[in-house]
Amino acid sequence: MNAEQIIKYISEAEKKTSVKVYVNFSDQSHQPEFPGCKVFGEQSKIVFGDWKIIKPILFSNAEIIEELEIETVSVNSGIPLLDTKNLEARIEPGAIIREKVHIGKKAVIMMGAIINIGATVGDSTMVDMGAVLGGRAIVGSGCHIGAGAVIAGVIEPVSAKPVIVENDVMIGANSVILEGVHVGKGAVIAAGSMVISDVPAGAVVAGVPARVVKYKDEETRSKTLIASDLRNI
């Protein structure tokens, strides 16, 4: 999706305040219906749905409510999370992946990683703990995005170019790659680097701002090989 398509999608999407409601009713014979919601239980109910539907029902039946607990999941959200259950990838608990994201085969998304709308994660790429892929970020196959790394997103302005990371790139922990940067195949970005300009294929960059310190040699290659066993699913 390009920026205009994403903006149109968000703009036109129905905004929902998603809640989980745990409620006990005193009168089992006169319990209210919750249209458009998922409801579990009989006298004690768990209701999943939009607050604008659920709120008036609870208020109008307040006299028969014995216990009530409301958990807010999102507020006026227009983009649900990606349905990941059929992906041929490994998604660990706590990862947040929004709709309209592409996750490749044997990709690994670790705990606390955040992937925004329109982003792409290639086959056998690992996005490590707490890493962030912004909107429309493109990451190729066989990459490793280190813990806490940030790949800038560009949904607005619409003229901005997304970050492109080609195949077999190793990005160290806590690095930042700014909008529009193109990282060439097989490059290595040292931990803690701030990348503000394009990185040539096979280059090793480090620093703030990041600069080329050398090109990959056999020692660098041996230290940056990905472990295929970690991509088994």
Side-chain angles (χ1 to χ4, degrees):
M1 296 178 76
N2 61 34
E4 291 89 347
Q5 290 171 325
I6 291 173
I7 292 169
K8 187 174 187 291
Y9 172 75
I10 295 171
S11 174
E12 295 179 352
E14 181 184 0
K15 308 304 186 292
K16 294 183 179 181
T17 295
S18 297
V19 296
K20 299 177 186 176
V21 175
Y22 307 85
V23 58
N24 290 334
F25 292 102
S26 59
D27 188 348
Q28 191 171 358
S29 62
H30 294 89
Q31 293 189 40
E33 299 292 328
F34 292 89
C37 302
K38 293 182 180 178
V39 181
F40 300 88
E42 295 181 0
Q43 185 169 354
S44 298
K45 293 183 182 293
I46 303 174
V47 184
F48 296 78
D50 190 350
W51 181 235
K52 66 176 175 283
I53 295 172
I54 295 173
K55 179 180 177 179
I57 298 172
L58 295 178
F59 273 75
S60 62
N61 291 274
E63 71 280 358
I64 62 170
I65 294 176
E66 289 187 337
E67 295 178 291
L68 177 65
E69 187 69 34
I70 302 170
E71 179 182 336
T72 303
V73 178
S74 62
V75 178
N76 294 320
S77 175
I79 308 174
L81 298 182
L82 182 68
D83 183 356
T84 59
K85 63 179 175 289
N86 294 317
L87 294 179
E88 297 181 58
R90 178 156 64 89
I91 314 294
E92 295 295 345
I96 299 174
I97 307 172
R98 298 181 91 183
E99 200 173 59
K100 307 297 182 182
V101 166
H102 173 77
I103 305 292
K105 294 180 180 180
K106 293 190 176 182
V108 179
I109 314 299
M110 295 294 287
M111 301 81 72
I114 300 173
I115 305 178
N116 203 1
I117 185 170
T120 296
V121 177
D123 296 348
S124 298
T125 282
M126 178 180 287
V127 181
D128 214 335
M129 297 178 293
V132 175
L133 271 63
R136 298 173 61 213
I138 300 170
V139 178
S141 301
C143 298
H144 182 100
I145 312 301
V150 175
I151 297 179
V154 286
I155 296 175
E156 61 177 1
V158 295
S159 60
K161 294 181 180 179
V163 173
I164 297 175
V165 177
E166 293 192 16
N167 298 345
D168 306 319
V169 169
M170 184 72 64
I171 298 176
N174 298 314
S175 342
V176 176
I177 304 177
L178 297 188
E179 70 173 60
V181 168
H182 189 125
V183 181
K185 177 179 169 63
V188 177
I189 297 171
S193 299
M194 173 75 75
V195 184
I196 64 173
S197 57
D198 291 353
V199 178
V204 179
V205 303
V208 180
R211 294 182 173 86
V212 176
V213 294
K214 65 176 184 177
Y215 281 81
K216 284 174 72 172
D217 51 23
E218 282 307 313
E219 181 182 5
T220 306
R221 287 188 178 88
S222 67
K223 290 181 178 179
T224 57
L225 287 174
I226 67 168
S228 58
D229 286 349
L230 293 177
R231 275 84 173 159
N232 288 339
I233 58 171

